[in-house]
């Protein structure tokens, strides 16, 4: 199954909408639960407090009547008078005796009610759910309610179902006191409040949330999409510009809108990469051009010499030998250039050294000096090798053949650029944690114009002798630098009063066998 690919813009938008949806869901669920609980507690508190207030008012009125020595003329008149004076909002208040006989009532009247208050009192009856509660209490089916009402200040609260919906009921017992008349019955004060208003409030809140949450999610999706699109616009510019960069325009760079944010730093990093690629590409192109130029000369000489030799129908043996000698010399030069190019290509590829052994630099230096002795004699140059006492064992770790090639290249370069009768010195020393190889000559030195480029490829120094005109391709120092780097060392052109002095620093092999 092919995976679904979603753009970063869409992922950010969906992530923003998902997080908002999660937050809104948690907020709505928690808010709805809290609001429902508050509404329920408010209803319970309203009916409980109303029942307590009415019961307290009835007790106070009974005490006042008893204190005045009056006798209640009509059953329930005192209670009805109390209800007329109290304000209990939109609650229905019923006062009954223990036999569920209605003694007083107060119900908020609708504007359509046209009867008198006395007429309303006679036509009102206890709601059926309230009668069922009283019956259950008398029959002992609701012991909890009976126990609660048995205390002096106990208020029993229940939820009942009326014709128009759920309601809350609070009941409280009013027991006759010692100073009351013996005819005073035990009363039950019932406060009834319909939950229709609360349910209407909850329904309105629910409808508001049902409309507000999708609207908020839609607004969040649109706003998140717009913000993400604006934030990712530099990335789109980076994509377009990067796609347009080829080998022909490597000098182009990406736009950096804000260098301090993530996309700005990404653009800067890519620009740095392009700069390095551009430099490497230019260097490689120059290297190919220079290599082609260097290879063209020996190939042209070999071809020209062969064509001249073959053009004549008859030549002497000496002439053939002379032509073959020229061809052989140029072939050797061509072979050396190809080998040097191959070595540089292998080092540039970053491959590891073929062999890593312990290498004693004093022995390596003596062997290299012995190898260039014939070249030095032909140039009438003296080559000396000095091993300083501080060098000690002077052991490093690496490829002995490559390190020998490094030293021979330095010696070959020094001999070819040194006047006849002068001396080339090789010194093996130790400075701190590095082994030091120094090759110095008494030639004219390196001109200031080419000192910064002396280790670049195909760079030629000044000609000192006639034989120096036939020097190599200008790859000796470049190869020496590459070999030093691959061994973890470095090579530099040291300042000197006369001539040129090249120093090679290599890491010392510790007694434990590790490179220091």
């Amino acid at each position: 199954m092919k995976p679904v690919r979603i753009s970063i813009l869409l992922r950010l938008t969906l992530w923003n909408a998902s997080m908002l949806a999660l937050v809104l869901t948690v907020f709505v669920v928690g808010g709805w639960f809290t609001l429902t609980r508050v509404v329920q507690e408010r209803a319970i508190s309203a009916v409980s407090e109303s029942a307590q207030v009415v019961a307290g008012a009835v007790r106070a009125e009974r005490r006042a009547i008893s204190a005045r020595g009056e006798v209640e003329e009509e059953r329930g008149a005192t209670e009805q008078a109390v209800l007329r004076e109290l304000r209990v909002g939109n609650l229905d208040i019923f006062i009954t005796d223990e036999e569920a006989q209605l003694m007083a009532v107060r119900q908020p009247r609708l504007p359509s009610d046209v009867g008198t208050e006395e007429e309303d009192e006679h036509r009102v009856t206890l709601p059926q759910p309230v009668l069922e509660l009283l019956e259950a209490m008398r029959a002992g089916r609701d012991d909890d309610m009976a126990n609660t009402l048995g205390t002096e200040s106990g208020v029993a609260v229940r939820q009942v179902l009326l014709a128009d919906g759920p309601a809350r009921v609070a009941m409280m017992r009013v027991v006759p006191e010692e100073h009351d008349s013996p005819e005073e019955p035990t009363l039950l004060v019932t406060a009834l409040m319909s939950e229709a208003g609360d349910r209407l409030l909850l329904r309105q809140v629910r409808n508001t949330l049902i409309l507000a949450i999708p609207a908020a999610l839609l607004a969040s999706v649109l706003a998140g999409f717009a913000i993400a699109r604006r934030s990712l616009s530099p990335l789109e510019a980076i994509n377009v510009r990067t796609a347009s960069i080829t080998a022909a325009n490597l000098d182009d760079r990406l736009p950096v809108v804000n260098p301090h944010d993530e996309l700005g730093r990404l653009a800067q990093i890519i620009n740095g990469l392009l700069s390095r690629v551009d430099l490497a590409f230019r260097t490689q192109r120059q290297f190919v051009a220079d290599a082609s130029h260097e290879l063209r000369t020996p190939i042209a000489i070999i071809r020209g010499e062969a064509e001249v030799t073959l053009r004549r129908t008859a030549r002497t043996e000496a002439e053939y030998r002379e032509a073959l000698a020229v061809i052989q010399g140029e072939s050797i030069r061509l072979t050396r250039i190809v080998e040097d190019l191959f070595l540089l290509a292998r080092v540039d590829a970053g491959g590891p050294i073929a062999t890593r052994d312990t290498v004693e630099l004093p022995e390596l230096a003596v062997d290299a000096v012995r190898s260039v002795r014939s070249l030095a004699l032909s140039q009438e140059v003296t080559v000396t090798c000095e091993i300083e006492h501080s060098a000690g064992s002077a052991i490093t770790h690496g490829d002995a053949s490559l390190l020998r090639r490094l030293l021979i290249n330095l010696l070959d370069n020094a001999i070819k650029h040194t006047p006849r009768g002068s001396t080339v010195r090789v010194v093996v020393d130790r400075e701190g944690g590095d082994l030091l190889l120094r090759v110095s000559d008494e030639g004219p030195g390196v001109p200031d114009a080419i000192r910064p480029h002396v280790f670049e490829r195909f760079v030629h120094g000044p000609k000192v002798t006639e034989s120096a005109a036939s020097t190599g391709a200008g790859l000796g120092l470049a190869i020496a630098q590459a070999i030093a780097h691959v061994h973890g060392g470095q090579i530099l052109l040291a300042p000197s009063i006369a001539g040129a002095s090249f120093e090679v620093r290599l890491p010392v092999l510790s007694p434990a066998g590790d490179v220091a």
Side-chain angles (χ1 to χ4, degrees), residues 41 56 145 227 257 289 297 379 390 447 477 507 512:
E41 291 178 353
M145 185 175 180
I227 294 174
V257 179
T297 301
Q379 300 293 329
S390 60
L477 294 179

Side-chain angles (χ1 to χ4, degrees), residues 75 95-104 126 134 138 187:
R75 186 173 183 269
I95 300 178
T96 63
D97 57 15
E98 290 188 323
E99 300 300 324
Q101 296 297 320
L102 187 62
M103 300 182 64
L126 282 175
L134 295 175
R138 287 199 306 269
L187 303 179

Side-chain angles (χ1 to χ4, degrees), residues 193-215:
M193 185 179 74
S194 174
E195 294 184 351
D198 294 339
R199 289 185 173 272
L200 178 60
L201 173 63
L202 293 176
R203 189 181 302 112
Q204 291 174 345
V205 172
R206 182 193 63 192
N207 294 338
T208 301
L209 292 177
I210 291 175
L211 295 177
I213 290 178

